[in-house]
Each structure stands twice: as structure tokens, then as C-alpha cells.
Amino acid sequence: MSTINLKFTAAVMLLSLFLSPAYSATGSDAVINADQLGSAVIQWGYDIKWEGKANYINTGHAREVFVDNQFSVLRIPIWGNGDTDRGHPSEGVILEDEYSMQLEAIGNALSENSDVILFASKKLKGDDSFPEWTKSSAGGPIIPEKYAIMLADYLEMMEDNGFFIDVLGIDNERTFNEGDITTSRYKQTIDELEALSVSRGFDMPLLIAPETYKVSSADNWLSWLNAQGWGDYYDIAGTHHYPNQWYNSSALGDFADTAGDKPKWHSEVHWGINDGLLNDSEKAMRIVFDCFDKGFSAMTYWGYPFGDDHIKLGTALTRSTAGAKTAFMDDIDGTSLNLGELITRAFREDNSMTVWLINNSSNAYQNYGFEVQAGTKLIEGDVDYTLWESSGGNLLETLGTALKTSGTRFEITVPQYSIMVFEFDINDDQQPPTPNPAQWAVPPETIDGNSVYMKAAEAEDPSGVEYYFECTKGSGNDSGWQDSPEYTETGLDADKLYAYKVRARDKGPYQNQTAASAEKAVVTKGILPGMIEAENYDAGGQNVGYYDNTAGNAYGDYREDDVEILSNSEGYAVYAEAGEWLRYSKTLTEGTYKAVISSTSSYGMEALLEIEGQEPAGVSLPDTGGWSNWSETIIEPFDIHSSGEGSVRLSITQGEGLIDYVKIIRVIPGTIQAENYAVGGQNEAYYDNSPGNAYGKYRSEDVDILSAGDTGGGFAVYAEAGEWLEYDAEVISGTYDIVIRSSSSYELSGSLQVGSGEEFPFILPDTGSWNTWEDTIIPEAVISEQGKCRIRLSFDEGSFKSASVNYIEFVPAAEPADINEDGQIDLLDYAILAGQWEMPAGAYSADISPQGGDGVVNIADLLEFAQSWLE
């Protein structure tokens, strides 16, 4: 029936009432469901029906009201015919001068905001509310046909001045006017006005009804209109709802239900000024919040501005809700609007949130928390607040920032007798944690030959943080995403380079990741004897793991520091020149060794091999006749005199060339510490019945290593029946007395095999205590193996038996002809034999034949000595 003006479309969006929440506040928290929204677009109106109020809408004030304070409705009066404001003295006559102030105010408002909605409402003037010519008798009801003419005169006059009335209210507070506009007279008036709009050619506004003074009576009026099938005769359900005279939320709900899907307006918001600033504000804002809860989409102030302190709150309320949608909120007092309890309401415009809290009580709330539920969105930036506290009849204003305790929560201490408004943004979290890129707190560092520890610098993000450690070099494993900034990787190969990067990501819905940290390399600790790959020098950089004459890796392979590393057919090699050195941290083992250095050069090099605690060994590395020709240079046997943490350093003192590796090889005769089995793991270097190192000493593989408790300390291997261990060595063939040092409360049998040669069986004794150690000797074991080989120590399968093994020692068996046992067969030995020749029967050192002697030194002993000497 009525024409809908386009600029008003947004203001009449249909509103869905709130659903009951599926949750409630817990503890001392308030819950803001930022995604459970009302569909109303909230409009605020400024009223100039009050005498003289139009004078306020000058150019400057219009900008303040309709731009700065975000008002979008201007409520203007329709005069009657009293002693003043004689707008309509007779039918068809309108005194335009009586509207001059309003016309100027309208022009000023539209010049600042062309979308301002013009809302014309009948002005109450007692008996003069309606001109006499529009009434059936003095004090009687209106004549619908006449009243329609007066309204048509008004609308035409406005259009003649270039203004279109968007909303028209013809029955303002009917309790006090003389029009007695029943539903029937209302319908007749509208029918006549629509007919006049057609005949005269003006547009029909939207109709707001009934604009009653008391909401309970409005319910009946709307019900009667709807009951007669005349629900299309109004477009907006409007009412007034005074805070000081009454408050009836139930009646307001009935009114909203009766209006159904029609937009609902509180068209005359009053802010009481009779009960103190805080009490007045609590009552007024309770009315406004209740209207919002019931789906009202517009509010029009009466008497704005209304005093310095009141206007602060009124302006803040307008600015924070204009254009917003209501967001469901619950607090510790529930959703009620009872005076004296916490009253909280939230509003959302796009991703901007405003939350109001009224605490008109003697209670103060310490660390009161607000939890924001906004789907995938988080609080972005600061939560700013304005606090008003009642003091001596005034409201003291304080600005501040609430404490954010997470991406969805903030806290504040709420003072007694106060009003607060919080403002913040919510957005999908697109920012990764900081720092970005991720940083190292502790770069990867070796724990032992099989483990590496590292720690990321702790990152920060409102949603929480998790970390990912990526192994970028070597065959290590990535950590996967984890909460801890620390990561220890186990089960790695000894004496091998591994490199890692770390990233962080937040725990928000988008899991934003930082860029990866710088790559950091680490070399797992090796055990000597063993292979030292030249490129696996210590981490730590210049003057720590190496010294290099020039910056940068000229070949760009393998590692990202200053050492020149390039690929070769066997992996990598290091280009080194005079003045440069490489350092390798190792676990040293007492024993006899020789070293082998693999190199190539067209010039030859002089080098120095330094093993910590030993005398440096100089070595000449040859000119191999070409860079692709490799040669092994041997450093003859030397002794490492003590076990423990140490290092190997290879320095180039002259020339230049490529270094592939340095091998430190155990030499037999000598001693093998039981815990220094070969590298390779289960079924390759050892077999152990159970996973893990039960005692946690020395190495982190499956072999059980404990502190020895024997003379000289060190470590021992706890071995069980069915287990075995292998050792790398370079063997000199010969006859040896093999000594196995052990302790046990059982007898444990086994065998020792050197290379592919004969197995030598043994039985380790019951020593009476695990702390008592004894030697088991395999005498005069003939070893035919020569050169590099593996030695296997194995224990026979059977019922459960075990022993602790400290070491295996290969002692060359004494030659019988070495009579003075100085390691040589010479004239000194012959002199002893001659001195004992054919002495009376007895025990003589020169009695060497037959084996064990026969009590005399004679020709048989001389022949044995001569044969050994000649060999």
C-alpha cells in the first residue's frame, strides 16, 4: 500500500529474535557470542519536536549530530493550530513560516548526511493538537477525511521545499491528544491520505503506529488492528517506553511479538534526570538494551542533549551502536536487566565490537573476565575502555586498556558504582607468531654419538604456539608439531653431520607459520677409533670448528659456512690450504692406534695431526699427480694414553689439496674397551636382547653400559646369554694371550673370533660379586688374520646368565727363546742358556724344550733356541 523509499531500505531490515543460548557464563566470566547476532541495523534519531530544538541544528551542530555522533534519523513536528505554531489554520491552508526553523534544520542535516531519514510525527499541544476544522466538535475525535487533508497539505509543503518525508506518525501518544484515533479512524485516515497522494501526486511515506505513551496499551491497539485484517496499514511498530515511570519487559516482549516481522522503533527515548546520574543512566540504558534484545531497530532521543555528564554516556551509546548489530551476551547475573545487578550488552559492526557493562552496586569485581566466542576470529590489537565512576554527583571519566590473557579473552577490575564500555576488533588471525622468522635459543648440539639437543627461542602469539623441528641434512627425523620449544633427537648415527631448522605456528584456526630459522648444523660425537669424514668438522664456526682463510664456501656444497666443501665420488671432500685447520670433537679411548689420511693434490701438502693429550704427529701428504688421484698416507702406530672427551685437529702447514677422511684404526696387540663396540646398531655392530641402554651410561643405543667400578674406573658392558658385540681393529697376526676382564655372580660361556679365523671359547667365572673383577685368559691363541678386520665377542645362548665385561686385552705370547723376556731373541738370551748349561736338575729359565721343560738345560734347549733365533 505504501511506497518504500530506497534510502530507508536499510532501516527496515527484518529482525530475527534471539535464540536461547546454548551456554552460560562460568565462574566470574562474561561470554560474548559475537556470531549470534540480531539482524537489526540500529538507527539513532534526533528529535526537534521540543520547542526551540530546531534552533540547535545549525551547520556546525548538524555535522556533530549527523556525522560525528552518527545519528541517521531526524524527528520533526507536525503542528496543529494553537496560539503559537499555527501551521494549519484551515483546510488547504498551511502557514509555511511556522515551519521555517524546521525547514532550515532539515536542510542543514541533509547537507551533512544525505541519507538522513526524515520522521514526521504529530506534535502534542493539548486541545490544539488538532485544528478545530479537523475535528467533529470541540474536544471531539478527528474527522478522518479532514485530518487526511491536513497531512496531505503538510507532505506537499515538504516536497515543495525539496524534502521527502520518509516516516509518518499520525497518532502520537494518543492517551494525551484529542484526536481519539481508534483503529477504524486510523484506517479511514490512511485510506483518504493514499487517495490524496494519487490525486495530488505526492509520495506516501512509511507509516509508524501507534507511538503510544505506554507499551501495555499499544499491545491492544496493534492487536485490534491486526485482528480486523488491517495489519498492512502500518509499516513500523512504534512505541515510547519511559524509564522513570515504568518498566515492563514482558509487555515490551508482547508488543514485539504482536508486531511480528515488522520493524520496531522506540521513537521517543527518554533519559531521566531526577534520580542521580548513575541511576538515571542505568534505567535509561536498561530500556535501550531491552529494546535491542526485543528486536528494535531504531531509537529516537527526546531532549538530546540533556546535560554535560548525561550526554557523555548518551553520545558514547549512540556512537558505539549506530549501524551495529546486537551480539548475544551472558554474564554472572545472567541475561536479565535487573537494576543493581551487572547489566552487560555487546554490539558488532563488521569486525568492530563494543561491550557495555553497568555496575550500579557496591560490589567490585576483581579480574572480571570476558570470553569472546567469534568462530575463527580472535581479538586483534588492544581492548580499550572508557570508565565512568560516580563521585559526588558527577561521573569521573577514565581511559585505559584491559588486560588480554589470550586471543579470545580479556580481564578488568570492575569498580563499584561504575559504567564501562570496551572497544576492540575481531579478525581472522593472519599473523604468525613472533619472532618471525623463528630463532634459536640453543642451536643443535651433540649430547653423544646418537643424540642431539636443540631449543627454539620461545615464540609469542595470542592463540598459543607450537614448534616444528625439521632435519634438513642427515637421515634424522622431524619432530612433528609439538608444544615444547625443546627437542632431543635420539637414534642418530655417531660421527655424522645433521642440520636442522625450526618453525613456529599459532594454534588459531589458520595455524599461521613463521618462516624457518637459519639452518644450524651439528656433528654427532664420534668415538675413536673410527672414521672421521673431513666435512664433518665441529659446528661453531670460524675459530671454533675450523679456521679458513677466506669467507664463504666457494663450492657451495653440504654446509653453509666458510670451509670449501665439494662433492666427490665417495661423498664430499674439503679443500684446504696452508694456515687452515679443522677440529673434530671425539670420545677418546686408551689404546694403540695408527692413522690413515686420504688426500689428493697436485702440489703436495704438509699436515699436522693433533689428538688431544698426545704429541702432534707431522705428516707429508703426497703430490698425487692429479686432483682425481687419491692416496692414503699412514701415520705409524701411536698410543692414546687416557680415555674421555677430547678432540682431533688436522692442520695444513704447507701446500694445498683435498682431504677426504682421517681414519683412526685400533691396532692389535692392544686393549679393546668393551663399551667401544663398532658403529652400526642392532644386528650390525651388536645384538642386545632388550631395547635401550638400561644404565644410561656413555652411549644411547641398546647395549647396557654401566660404570665399571674396577681399578681404573671407566665403563663396562652388562652382557647376557645370546648377545654379541663386534669391534673394528687392525690386527698383526701372531700368538696372543687374550685377557677378558669381567665380574658376575654366574658363570657365562662364550667365544671370541678375530676376523674369519678360529673361534676361541672361554668361560667367564662367578667372581662372587658384581663388584669383584677377575681376568679370564685364553692362552697362546694363534691369530692368523692380518690387517683390518672385525672381532666378535659372543655369549652362548642358554638359561639366563650374565656378566659385566670391562675390556679385552691382546697380549703377545712370550717366545720361549726370549729367555730374558725383553722382546728380543739375541746374544743376551744365549748367554743365559750357556750359563745354565748342564747344571744339576732344577727349574731353569733356559729349559725351553720340551714345552714346560725337563729339568735340565741341554742340546734340546740349544736346538730350540737356534731355530727361534734363525726365524
Side-chain angles (χ1 to χ4, degrees):
M1 53 161 276
S2 59
T3 303
I4 306 295
N5 187 283
L6 290 178
K7 71 177 181 178
F8 189 59
T9 302
V12 295
M13 291 176 62
L14 296 179
L15 177 72
S16 60
L17 297 177
F18 289 120
L19 300 174
S20 298
Y23 59 86
S24 61
T26 58
S28 61
D29 292 338
V31 178
I32 304 162
N33 191 329
D35 284 341
Q36 189 174 339
L37 303 176
S39 60
V41 177
I42 299 169
Q43 307 276 355
W44 280 98
Y46 187 98
D47 194 311
I48 58 172
K49 287 176 64 181
W50 198 351
E51 269 71 28
K53 284 294 295 296
N55 290 330
Y56 285 101
I57 309 299
N58 55 39
T59 302
H61 191 57
R63 183 176 302 109
E64 178 186 352
V65 172
F66 295 103
V67 178
D68 298 340
N69 292 347
Q70 302 180 48
F71 283 80
S72 55
V73 177
L74 178 62
R75 189 175 185 231
I76 53 181
I78 303 174
W79 298 135
N81 190 36
D83 294 335
T84 60
D85 302 324
R86 292 171 50 85
H88 303 271
S90 61
E91 182 176 335
V93 177
I94 186 168
L95 301 179
E96 189 170 317
D97 286 347
E98 298 294 330
Y99 287 100
S100 60
M101 285 192 302
Q102 287 80 6
L103 292 172
E104 182 180 353
I106 293 170
N108 290 335
L110 290 173
S111 67
E112 296 297 334
N113 181 356
S114 61
D115 291 327
V116 168
I117 296 165
L118 300 182
F119 170 22
S121 177
K122 187 67 194 76
K123 172 65 178 175
L124 295 185
K125 296 286 287 185
D127 290 342
D128 295 325
S129 297
F130 296 89
E132 291 298 327
W133 61 269
T134 65
K135 296 190 290 186
S136 60
S137 61
I142 61 158
I143 301 170
E145 295 85 351
K146 299 294 185 180
Y147 185 34
I149 292 171
M150 184 193 115
L151 295 173
D153 293 342
Y154 174 80
L155 295 174
E156 278 190 312
M157 182 269 293
M158 284 293 176
E159 288 196 9
D160 289 344
N161 283 276
F163 305 131
F164 173 82
I165 299 301
D166 300 289
V167 179
L168 178 65
I170 71 169
D171 183 20
N172 181 28
E173 294 191 354
R174 60 190 300 270
T175 302
F176 300 104
N177 67 35
E178 301 297 326
D180 192 16
I181 303 178
T182 61
T183 52
S184 177
R185 293 189 182 99
Y186 175 82
K187 175 185 179 298
Q188 292 174 45
T189 301
I190 300 306
D191 285 338
E192 292 292 333
L193 184 60
E194 286 196 318
L196 290 171
S197 75
V198 174
S199 62
R200 293 193 190 186
F202 61 83
D203 291 330
M204 275 293 292
L206 294 170
L207 300 172
I208 183 171
E211 288 208 272
T212 187
Y213 176 63
K214 193 171 185 179
V215 72
S216 57
S217 61
D219 178 46
N220 289 334
W221 198 96
L222 286 183
S223 295
W224 294 335
L225 198 66
N226 291 340
Q228 296 173 84
W230 297 339
D232 289 342
Y233 278 77
Y234 70 99
D235 302 292
I236 301 169
T239 187
H240 303 168
H241 200 40
Y242 285 37
N244 283 351
Q245 279 75 12
W246 57 77
Y247 173 69
N248 191 330
S249 181
S250 177
L252 187 66
D254 292 341
F255 173 82
D257 290 342
T258 301
D261 291 337
K262 298 255 177 109
K264 291 164 276 292
W265 284 22
H266 188 331
S267 52
E268 200 167 285
V269 175
H270 285 250
W271 201 289
I273 54 174
N274 304 313
D275 196 22
L277 288 172
L278 193 59
N279 291 340
D280 290 341
S281 300
E282 180 187 27
K283 292 175 182 177
M285 295 174 76
R286 175 177 69 162
I287 292 288
V288 170
F289 292 159
D290 199 11
C291 287
F292 289 156
D293 289 350
K294 300 299 191 299
F296 281 63
S297 59
M299 305 281 156
T300 299
Y301 278 120
W302 174 262
Y304 182 96
F306 31 69
D308 290 342
D309 283 324
H310 289 88
I311 200 172
K312 289 179 182 178
L313 287 169
T315 300
L317 181 62
T318 302
R319 289 178 174 176
S320 65
T321 57
K325 295 183 180 181
T326 49
F328 184 84
M329 184 170 180
D330 195 6
D331 59 48
I332 59 171
D333 290 328
T335 60
S336 69
L337 293 164
N338 297 327
L339 298 179
E341 295 182 353
L342 284 184
I343 295 177
T344 54
R345 286 298 183 267
F347 304 89
R348 176 175 174 180
E349 182 176 8
D350 296 326
N351 285 332
S352 296
M353 296 294 303
T354 302
V355 178
W356 282 88
L357 183 151
I358 304 171
N359 181 28
N360 191 18
S361 75
S362 60
N363 296 322
Y365 297 86
Q366 300 294 320
N367 302 321
Y368 189 78
F370 294 81
E371 181 71 24
V372 181
Q373 297 182 355
T376 62
K377 290 179 169 57
L378 303 173
I379 300 173
E380 182 178 64
D382 292 334
V383 178
D384 297 321
Y385 68 83
T386 303
L387 165 67
W388 293 276
E389 294 179 86
S390 179
S391 176
N394 297 311
L395 288 177
L396 301 181
E397 184 176 287
T398 304
L399 304 179
T401 302
L403 173 65
K404 280 174 61 176
T405 57
S406 74
T408 59
R409 182 181 173 86
F410 62 92
E411 292 181 355
I412 194 74
T413 294
V414 181
Q416 60 183 359
Y417 302 114
S418 64
I419 296 177
M420 305 185 77
V421 60
F422 303 90
E423 296 179 304
F424 56 91
D425 291 334
I426 54 173
N427 275 300
D428 286 326
D429 180 18
Q430 302 293 343
Q431 298 301 314
T434 56
N436 182 22
Q439 303 293 319
W440 291 105
V442 179
E445 58 183 27
T446 181
I447 299 174
D448 53 34
N450 308 106
S451 305
V452 169
Y453 168 81
M454 63 203 79
K455 182 178 181 180
E458 292 195 29
E460 295 183 354
D461 191 273
S463 301
V465 177
E466 51 191 4
Y467 304 86
Y468 191 98
F469 295 86
E470 178 186 7
C471 183
T472 53
K473 288 186 175 72
S475 56
N477 298 311
D478 298 344
S479 67
W481 289 105
Q482 60 178 48
D483 289 338
S484 174
E486 298 180 83
Y487 177 54
T488 299
E489 186 170 9
T490 60
L492 302 175
D493 293 334
D495 195 25
K496 183 175 179 180
L497 180 135
Y498 295 86
Y500 297 86
K501 293 181 179 180
V502 64
R503 288 171 284 147
R505 75 178 182 189
D506 63 41
K507 294 183 177 180
Y510 294 97
Q511 297 184 317
N512 303 294
Q513 292 187 26
T514 66
S517 68
E519 182 181 78
K520 294 294 183 180
V522 62
V523 179
T524 51
K525 191 169 292 183
I527 299 174
L528 292 186
M531 173 74 79
I532 301 174
E533 296 287 352
E535 66 273 15
N536 288 341
Y537 49 85
D538 287 354
Q542 184 86 328
N543 293 312
V544 177
Y546 62 85
Y547 178 83
D548 196 272
N549 294 333
T550 57
N553 179 350
Y555 301 100
D557 284 337
Y558 194 60
R559 296 179 71 166
E560 298 173 359
D561 46 35
D562 298 330
V563 177
E564 277 69 54
I565 302 174
L566 65 161
S567 300
N568 66 10
S569 60
E570 301 298 324
Y572 298 97
V574 170
Y575 170 80
E577 59 187 17
E580 297 181 340
W581 53 261
L582 303 162
R583 182 179 184 273
Y584 307 87
S585 291
K586 300 294 174 184
T587 299
L588 307 179
T589 305
E590 182 180 357
T592 301
Y593 303 92
K594 71 177 182 179
V596 178
I597 301 176
S598 176
S599 67
T600 182
S601 175
S602 292
Y603 311 100
M605 292 180 283
E606 295 295 324
L608 197 65
L609 185 68
E610 301 174 77
I611 299 178
E612 193 167 318
Q614 317 303 317
E615 288 295 323
V619 61
S620 295
L621 304 178
D623 176 350
T624 61
W627 292 97
S628 59
N629 299 326
W630 291 88
S631 173
E632 288 189 337
T633 301
I634 297 174
I635 299 177
E636 289 304 323
F638 56 89
D639 290 328
I640 294 178
H641 297 292
S642 61
S643 299
E645 302 303 309
S647 65
V648 175
R649 185 165 119 162
L650 178 65
S651 304
I652 306 301
T653 57
Q654 186 176 324
E656 60 182 290
L658 299 178
I659 306 296
D660 189 359
Y661 57 79
V662 178
K663 287 190 292 188
I664 307 296
I665 303 171
R666 179 188 287 110
V667 176
I668 298 298
T671 301
I672 299 175
Q673 296 292 331
E675 67 272 17
N676 289 331
Y677 52 87
V679 173
Q682 181 87 333
N683 293 314
E684 292 291 334
Y686 62 83
Y687 178 81
D688 196 272
N689 293 334
S690 58
N693 180 346
Y695 301 96
K697 300 294 186 181
Y698 192 60
R699 297 172 74 165
S700 59
E701 296 165 308
D702 297 333
V703 176
D704 303 313
I705 302 175
L706 66 159
S707 297
D710 194 5
T711 302
F715 300 100
V717 169
Y718 172 79
E720 297 177 351
E723 297 182 338
W724 53 262
L725 301 154
E726 287 190 350
Y727 304 87
D728 290 317
E730 183 155 317
V731 177
I732 299 173
S733 60
T735 303
Y736 294 88
D737 293 331
I738 303 174
V739 180
I740 302 175
R741 182 76 168 172
S742 68
S743 70
S744 181
S745 292
Y746 313 93
E747 285 188 350
L748 179 63
S749 63
S751 63
L752 186 75
Q753 182 178 21
V754 179
S756 59
E758 180 184 354
E759 291 188 31
F760 303 108
F762 59 79
I763 298 175
L764 301 182
D766 177 352
T767 63
S769 166
W770 289 96
N771 294 319
T772 301
W773 297 84
E774 292 183 8
D775 292 339
T776 298
I777 299 175
I778 304 172
E780 297 186 350
V782 178
I783 296 177
S784 57
E785 197 82 18
Q786 179 75 22
K788 186 166 63 176
C789 69
R790 277 210 168 178
I791 298 171
R792 174 178 283 208
L793 176 67
S794 57
F795 303 95
D796 296 339
E797 295 183 2
S799 60
F800 176 78
K801 292 183 178 181
S802 59
S804 291
V805 180
N806 190 346
Y807 58 78
I808 309 163
E809 184 178 9
F810 291 79
V811 181
E815 287 285 341
D818 183 12
I819 298 172
N820 64 355
E821 296 183 353
D822 64 355
Q824 299 182 40
I825 301 173
D826 53 22
L827 290 174
L828 294 176
D829 301 301
Y830 177 74
I832 295 172
L833 186 146
Q836 298 175 2
W837 184 262
E838 293 187 346
M839 295 286 290
Y844 300 104
S845 60
D847 185 11
I848 58 176
S849 180
Q851 184 176 352
D854 57 3
V856 295
V857 178
N858 54 23
I859 190 65
D861 302 304
L862 177 61
L863 291 174
E864 180 71 23
F865 173 79
Q867 184 177 352
S868 296
W869 194 355
L870 292 174
E871 290 177 353

